[in-house]
Amino acid sequence: ELESGEFEKAGNLFLEAFKTQPELPQAQQNQVLAMNLLGKCDKAYDLASKYIANGLATEVMVLRLIDSISTPEQLVKHASDFAKFLETDDSINASLAHKYLSFGDYKSALNAARKSLSIAPKSAHAHCAAAMSLHSLAVHGDPNLRLARLQSSLTHYADAEADARTHNFSGLLPEIFVNRASVRMLLGDLTGAESDYREAVKLAKHPAVYAEAVVRFFLQEEDFQAARELLHLLDRSTTEGQYLALVIECHNSDDGQKRKYFDQMKVLAEMDWEKAIECRFHCVQWAIDLNLTELAESCVSPRFQKDHPFQAHTILAWIRMIEKNRLGAKEETTKALEAGIHGAHPQEIRLLTSVLLKLGDDENALPFLEQLSMPGVLDEQMKMYLACAQRMDRHDLLLRLCRELREAGTIDEQVFKMELQLLSVYSPEIAFELADVFIRKSTTPAYFVAARNKLAVRLKRLDQVDLNPAALPTPAQLPLAEADLVLLPFVELNKYDEGLKFLYGHRRLYFDNEDAHGRYCFFFLTYGTKTTLREPPELVQKDCAVLLQVSENDLRWIVIEDEQPVASRYEVAS
């Protein structure tokens, strides 16, 4: 029964066996195991502590003790009981790693997992513990080490999978896949994440346990068709199963059925369970989809507003924005902010932040964007955070965010460009050194070559200017506003012909832009005598036709006869 995942049956059978011969050490160890399987961890802890105190301090009993521990203080209290096994028993170290993970002590978890690996280098359980520890440290630890830890976690999961398949650890394999899927999501590998989630369901003895995690993934990615394919695996006897099924069914229904699902979800919203508020937000969304804002507002009862003021006023602000009542939305966001976000779900904070941004309230949105964004991760949330900081001219914040993204291994041209531009103002020496890094990392390094050249001129390092035409951006690769990146080094090093050619290219590309013409004329008037592009003509053709471009779409001929334009021959070109 234990192998099949029938934990309640297994627990009861172990207790029946204990009754027959309670004096046997094996029976006593299995009695503790039974209590853990039946969810009676406090009883299991008391029994294990008693048996160890009475001399049954075996490796198995110590494992049972670790499994039953529910507080960090208990772990410290019994440290001496398992200390003598740490150098020889991989299972005890792996079990400790998982216990440390449950307490949020990720570094201790990794140390325990590594100790387990040193004893049993191929152990699937040891590799799984190491992978989960690195995964947790990547999320909660130093953002500079995030990418390396996630990649190392994937390696450990792969080794864990290999050993688990070799020994047919049927209960461990789904755990490996469902956790590895989460790592792949963080790395942006959604295809790999989907594959792992599906494999977890395929291998699980009880697919419903993992179906919920897979459905949540598909719903997060808004792949409702894939979620619907797993609908039959959801356990509707649980509140979670009912909730997920309703979300899937409502999305795949027509407007006539949505009201039915609204009523069913409203029942779950009124229940006392961990996702009751989330259910209420779904009800509001479905009512808004039906253009029934009064029905949406009915979800904010006086009782709900009293018990959950932040969520209530966030919902009302959302509804006011749908009604295009900006003043009302502003009043509700103020009340939500006054209520405080203690205990609020990130999705609820994300919704309020969205309303604040639509209202143009960057000042109040900024701290929420910081809370919602993960350091070193360039996702949509981080992009919104960067944009908000830009609008507020928070150069200090932008520099920190760009540095964290760069150090976390993010490769993004716009982020590189932003950091270099800011450092060029505040720390040109650092910007100059960093430009070399961006040139190596960028797939289109020409911009960073030009930026480095300009910094070299500013820093009087003319011998380090790179004017190789193949390395510099073309006029089409550089906006008008950034032409100085190329022009300043050309002028400083007396490359006037190259400067004029570049501006001519800009003038042709942006013919309707007066600034393009102005820059070209100014450069020509200032440095034209220093160019060698064209000598003055000695003879003008007496009879010819001249093609003029009056504007982008207006080409005209002027016919010249005896050195005079013939007005009657002035015509639009074919």
Side-chain angles (χ1 to χ4, degrees), residues 491-507:
V491 171
E492 194 69 24
L493 295 175
N494 303 321
K495 300 291 184 179
Y496 304 108
D497 287 357
E498 287 80 356
L500 193 61
K501 285 179 182 178
F502 186 86
L503 285 173
Y504 179 77
H506 257 179
R507 192 171 72 92

Side-chain angles (χ1 to χ4, degrees), residues 91-154:
S91 298
I92 286 178
N93 281 290
S95 183
L96 278 172
H98 287 292
K99 191 58 64 174
Y100 282 125
L101 281 172
S102 69
F103 297 146
D105 188 352
Y106 308 120
K107 289 185 177 179
S108 295
L110 183 58
N111 289 335
R114 284 174 172 165
K115 176 65 75 173
S116 181
L117 280 171
S118 70
I119 299 167
K122 294 183 179 181
S123 166
H125 293 87
H127 278 293
C128 187
M132 293 175 68
S133 301
L134 286 162
H135 179 180
S136 299
L137 278 170
V139 174
H140 301 287
D142 186 345
N144 297 336
L145 301 175
R146 179 178 179 277
L147 182 61
R149 283 171 169 164
L150 288 176
Q151 291 172 337
S152 181
S153 176
L154 283 182

Side-chain angles (χ1 to χ4, degrees), residues 184-210:
R184 285 180 161 165
M185 280 184 64
L186 291 173
L187 289 169
D189 180 11
L190 298 182
T191 302
E194 178 180 344
S195 175
D196 277 351
Y197 275 127
R198 289 186 181 277
E199 191 70 9
V201 171
K202 175 184 173 182
L203 295 175
K205 296 285 180 62
H206 296 281
V209 175
Y210 297 97

Side-chain angles (χ1 to χ4, degrees), residues 281-292:
F281 274 82
H282 277 294
C283 288
V284 174
Q285 178 67 70
W286 296 347
I288 288 173
D289 291 344
L290 293 169
N291 294 317
L292 299 174

Side-chain angles (χ1 to χ4, degrees), residues 339-391:
I341 65 170
H342 178 70
H345 189 276
Q347 193 63 28
E348 298 157 8
I349 300 172
R350 193 172 287 112
L351 177 60
L352 177 63
T353 305
S354 174
V355 175
L356 290 170
L357 290 173
K358 289 176 182 175
L359 290 170
D361 190 354
D362 287 337
E363 185 176 354
N364 281 314
L366 191 70
F368 292 143
L369 288 168
E370 179 169 13
Q371 181 175 338
L372 293 167
S373 301
M374 185 177 293
V377 180
L378 187 62
D379 54 10
E380 289 304 313
Q381 203 67 52
M382 178 60 74
K383 290 175 183 177
M384 292 170 61
Y385 190 16
L386 288 166
C388 185
Q390 279 184 299
R391 291 193 297 271

Side-chain angles (χ1 to χ4, degrees), residues 201 207-208 211 215 227-236 245 248:
V201 171
V215 167
R228 189 171 183 80
E229 292 171 6
L230 299 174
L231 185 59
H232 68 286
L233 293 177
L234 293 175
D235 182 2
R236 297 196 189 217
I248 296 170

Side-chain angles (χ1 to χ4, degrees), residues 284-424:
V284 174
Q285 178 67 70
W286 296 347
I288 288 173
D289 291 344
L290 293 169
N291 294 317
L292 299 174
T293 54
E294 288 187 8
L295 182 64
E297 195 161 344
S298 71
C299 296
V300 187
S301 63
R303 175 65 182 272
F304 180 71
Q305 193 163 334
K306 178 182 177 182
D307 293 344
H308 306 282
F310 174 81
Q311 290 83 353
H313 290 296
T314 295
I315 290 174
L316 291 173
W318 180 17
I319 295 172
R320 298 294 174 263
M321 284 300 295
I322 297 298
E323 296 172 336
K324 302 189 185 316
N325 180 357
R326 293 179 64 86
L327 180 59
K330 179 65 177 174
E331 291 174 354
E332 295 298 341
T333 59
T334 300
K335 292 176 182 178
L337 292 168
E338 289 173 351
I341 65 170
H342 178 70
H345 189 276
Q347 193 63 28
E348 298 157 8
I349 300 172
R350 193 172 287 112
L351 177 60
L352 177 63
T353 305
S354 174
V355 175
L356 290 170
L357 290 173
K358 289 176 182 175
L359 290 170
D361 190 354
D362 287 337
E363 185 176 354
N364 281 314
L366 191 70
F368 292 143
L369 288 168
E370 179 169 13
Q371 181 175 338
L372 293 167
S373 301
M374 185 177 293
V377 180
L378 187 62
D379 54 10
E380 289 304 313
Q381 203 67 52
M382 178 60 74
K383 290 175 183 177
M384 292 170 61
Y385 190 16
L386 288 166
C388 185
Q390 279 184 299
R391 291 193 297 271
M392 295 184 68
D393 289 328
R394 284 291 307 274
H395 293 177
D396 57 330
L397 181 56
L398 287 169
L399 280 169
R400 175 172 65 80
L401 295 176
C402 288
R403 175 179 52 78
E404 288 175 350
L405 288 166
R406 170 171 48 82
E407 291 177 347
T410 300
I411 296 179
D412 184 87
E413 304 289 321
Q414 293 305 312
V415 174
F416 288 170
K417 189 174 179 180
M418 185 188 302
E419 184 174 17
L420 196 63
Q421 288 173 343
L422 291 169
L423 286 173
S424 296

Side-chain angles (χ1 to χ4, degrees), residues 91 196 216 300 306 428 444 446 474 483 489 505 507 526 539 541 548:
S91 298
D196 277 351
R216 283 194 291 269
V300 187
K306 178 182 177 182
T444 54
T474 64
R507 192 171 72 92
T526 306
L539 174 67
Q541 184 85 15
L548 301 179

